[in-house]
Amino acid sequence: EKAGYKHFMLKEIFEQPQAITNTVRGRINLETGEVVLPEITLGEEDLRAIERIYLVACGTSWHAALVAKYWIEKYAAIPVEVDIASEFRYRSLLVNERVLTLAISQSGETADTLAGIRRAARLGSKVITICNVVGSTMTREADGTIYTHAGPEIGVASTKAFIAQLAALFLFTLYLSQLKRSIPVEHRRRLGQHLIDSARVVQELLPKIREQIGTMIESFYQCRDFLFVGRGLNYPIALEGALKLKEISYIHAEGYAAGELKHGPIALIDKDMPVLAITPKDSVYQKTISNIEEIKARQGRLILIGTEGDTQLEKITEDVIYLPAVHEDLNPIIYTIPAQLLSYEIAVRRGCDVDQPRNLAKSVTVE
Ligand code: M6R
């Protein structure tokens, strides 16, 4: 059932190209640039009238929501707020029928997220869910569902469901941009093409990165703490890397927006602190590099993940992982892979039960 893989988590990491392809298939026409999401039963008029969006989720699904905020605000020009479901369900909400609440959940059963959409619906919000489990409670209660077609996810640490959520959220962003006519059709068509192409990119990089990380972790797996940093769209990926590592290896790990380091966390940096920095050649590249220099000056043990051909990174540290250049907005899909594999390899090296970490359940159906 693990198809020759040692753990479900590893199998599921390697299933990610398929998860992207299956989630996107049939939903975007690459000749016309048209996006179709028929399971959203809300009328186009209702959706066009949406003035604000709440993205609500827990854990890894919340990280997908954080990425989506950047996409939706950029391409559909709708203000987005991202909430952790356990906060959303108890705080005062400014909700009416022109607000869309979008719940993101692999299981569709997470108690806090479910309570969140019930509350938003009672207050008059339209509700859509992005779910992986067909027929789950959230899909039955929402006004519409966008299924991620990642297939069953067994490992407690979410991997392929997250990548499929990102694909679904990017599609949904393109769909909103179509309804709102906020970007030209040709632009949407090209973005759709980039999304589809990302599956092939992930497919090609998986074995190579696994091998590289397998060697690299020998000098890192015994550490007590680990920081992950990134900027912009990759800040949520830093959070996701830290969550993955802490939940399966029990190493204390934190994710930070690189620009926040100087406001406190940089005090933690010394020669024993590993810092994985996401440094693609994107529009905030120079800014991230300045933050990295500050870490280096304090002897932090840097691992850099950047764009193929960027030799500047090798001057900063010997631990560099190169990923192919893709459209900047799709970097979160690509840069998640090394973070997942690093967590996996470290946890295995430490003898942890990666598929069934202590204290955790696959689906958190109690508050
Ligand atoms: O099923 P959901 O997506 O609603 O689950 C949300 C979180 O419980 C889940 O992502 C959790 O954080 C995972 N263990 C992360 O790997």
Side-chain angles (χ1 to χ4, degrees):
E1 47 178 10
K2 289 181 198 149
Y5 289 94
K6 199 163 164 220
H7 299 98
F8 282 109
M9 182 178 175
L10 188 62
K11 170 172 176 270
E12 288 161 4
I13 289 174
F14 275 80
E15 283 171 348
Q16 293 181 114
Q18 207 55 50
I20 300 172
T21 305
N22 290 348
T23 300
V24 179
R25 180 177 292 129
R27 288 168 162 175
I28 179 152
N29 181 328
L30 286 182
E31 262 138 50
T32 61
E34 194 196 354
V35 178
V36 284
L37 294 171
E39 308 123 290
I40 298 182
T41 42
L42 279 177
E44 293 201 353
E45 279 317 307
D46 280 340
L47 277 172
R48 227 176 258 124
I50 294 299
E51 291 171 353
R52 206 152 44 80
I53 300 179
Y54 277 121
L55 298 180
V56 181
C58 303
T60 287
S61 301
W62 176 66
H63 298 151
L66 291 171
V67 173
K69 173 183 167 76
Y70 287 82
W71 287 336
I72 297 173
E73 293 189 340
K74 176 170 177 182
Y75 292 117
I78 304 171
V80 176
E81 277 195 58
V82 183
D83 269 65
I84 290 173
S86 54
E87 294 296 319
F88 181 80
R89 63 181 292 193
Y90 294 118
R91 75 181 180 92
S92 54
L93 298 176
L94 299 173
V95 164
N96 57 37
E97 67 291 347
R98 293 185 307 284
V99 170
L100 172 69
T101 303
L102 177 59
I104 305 162
S105 175
Q106 188 284 131
S107 61
E109 305 293 348
T110 302
D112 285 319
T113 313
L114 188 56
I117 62 171
R118 284 181 179 155
R119 176 149 182 254
R122 258 198 320 276
L123 293 168
S125 174
K126 304 278 186 294
V127 175
I128 293 178
T129 74
I130 291 187
C131 272
N132 196 44
V133 177
V134 176
S136 56
T137 310
M138 282 181 220
T139 67
R140 282 185 271 116
E141 297 197 12
D143 300 310
T145 299
I146 305 169
Y147 279 113
T148 45
H149 296 294
E153 191 179 62
I154 311 292
V156 164
S158 183
T159 54
K160 64 176 180 172
F162 176 66
I163 290 297
Q165 285 167 346
L166 292 179
L169 284 160
F170 196 73
L171 262 182
F172 183 63
T173 302
L174 297 182
Y175 181 65
L176 289 175
S177 78
Q178 170 177 305
L179 293 179
K180 305 274 284 188
R181 296 182 209 276
S182 47
I183 58 171
V185 177
E186 173 52 20
H187 192 179
R188 183 166 50 250
R189 200 194 61 73
R190 267 187 283 120
L191 289 170
Q193 183 71 61
H194 286 300
L195 175 61
I196 289 174
D197 292 346
S198 69
R200 183 184 40 78
V201 177
V202 172
Q203 177 86 48
E204 286 168 9
L205 64 81
L206 272 166
K208 191 177 114 209
I209 302 300
R210 183 177 178 213
E211 205 182 303
Q212 250 182 293
I213 285 192
T215 323
M216 188 184 282
I217 57 118
E218 277 307 314
S219 44
F220 289 96
Y221 79 95
Q222 283 169 314
C223 64
R224 281 191 48 211
D225 310 272
F226 221 110
L227 300 186
F228 291 74
V229 301
R231 271 181 178 261
L233 285 158
N234 295 307
Y235 159 48
I237 303 311
L239 295 177
E240 173 59 7
L243 175 60
K244 229 65 318 165
L245 184 64
K246 72 185 104 174
E247 74 178 327
I248 62 168
S249 77
Y250 319 135
I251 293 172
H252 166 243
E254 304 285 344
Y256 291 108
E260 265 295 293
L261 286 179
K262 62 172 88 56
H263 300 287
I266 200 158
L268 294 168
I269 308 283
D270 63 12
K271 62 172 184 25
D272 299 318
M273 179 63 86
V275 184
L276 181 146
I278 304 173
T279 51
K281 277 260 180 181
D282 59 10
S283 51
V284 285
Y285 173 75
Q286 282 308 338
K287 299 283 165 198
T288 316
I289 292 293
S290 328
N291 302 134
I292 302 287
E293 297 289 359
E294 289 156 13
I295 298 168
K296 184 174 160 119
R298 286 158 186 86
Q299 274 95 50
R301 298 174 61 198
L302 280 160
I303 298 176
L304 299 181
I305 309 185
T307 309
E308 255 159 28
D310 182 4
T311 49
Q312 186 175 348
L313 302 183
E314 290 151 49
K315 295 181 193 138
I316 304 174
T317 173
E318 57 183 26
D319 293 310
V320 183
I321 291 173
Y322 285 115
L323 300 183
V326 297
H327 187 284
E328 166 163 0
D329 286 310
L330 292 168
N331 274 334
I333 292 183
I334 311 298
Y335 281 75
T336 297
I337 311 297
Q340 292 171 337
L341 285 167
L342 177 106
S343 306
Y344 172 78
E345 294 292 351
I346 289 183
V348 171
R349 190 72 182 70
R350 288 167 74 100
C352 300
D353 184 351
V354 290
D355 285 335
Q356 286 287 327
R358 68 188 184 201
N359 307 341
L360 295 175
K362 182 65 187 161
S363 175
V364 184
T365 52
V366 291
E367 187 174 346

